[in-house]
Amino acid sequence: MSTTHLDTTGPDASDDTSLDVPDGLNSAESKLVYVFLAAAEGATVEELHEALDLRKITLFPVLDTLAEREVIDRDGARYVATAS
């Protein structure tokens, strides 16, 4: 699977923390949700809603798309990134 490198550090950061975003994630919401799930090692819809300030009606189709592309998985009520 091809990925795009996303630097999650600031310009003054001393470590090399980064996440790879899978190719094919075109919308800002998809990328945001994926990066959050990867960094947080999973989250519920409520946690995503609160942390990202995205409406739940927006989150559900994004989560469905990410699951269809097999870059996230559901573990009970939590969603977790499967690709990195």
Side-chain angles (χ1 to χ4, degrees):
M1 173 185 299
S2 182
T3 58
T4 301
H5 182 76
L6 178 66
D7 184 0
T8 58
T9 62
D12 298 326
S14 60
D15 65 320
D16 186 28
T17 304
S18 64
L19 295 172
D20 291 328
V21 177
D23 287 343
L25 299 185
N26 299 320
S27 77
E29 290 89 356
S30 293
K31 292 176 183 178
L32 179 64
V33 170
Y34 175 80
V35 168
F36 183 87
L37 290 174
E41 298 182 2
T44 65
V45 171
E46 185 64 33
E47 291 166 338
L48 288 165
H49 165 68
E50 290 176 9
L52 303 177
D53 197 28
L54 292 174
R55 295 172 50 190
K56 291 179 186 179
I57 197 165
T58 301
L59 285 169
F60 285 112
V62 169
L63 292 166
D64 287 343
T65 298
L66 293 174
E68 286 172 7
R69 294 184 181 180
E70 299 180 345
V71 296
I72 67 166
D73 199 5
R74 191 167 178 179
D75 182 17
R78 295 180 63 77
Y79 290 87
V80 293
T82 58
S84 54

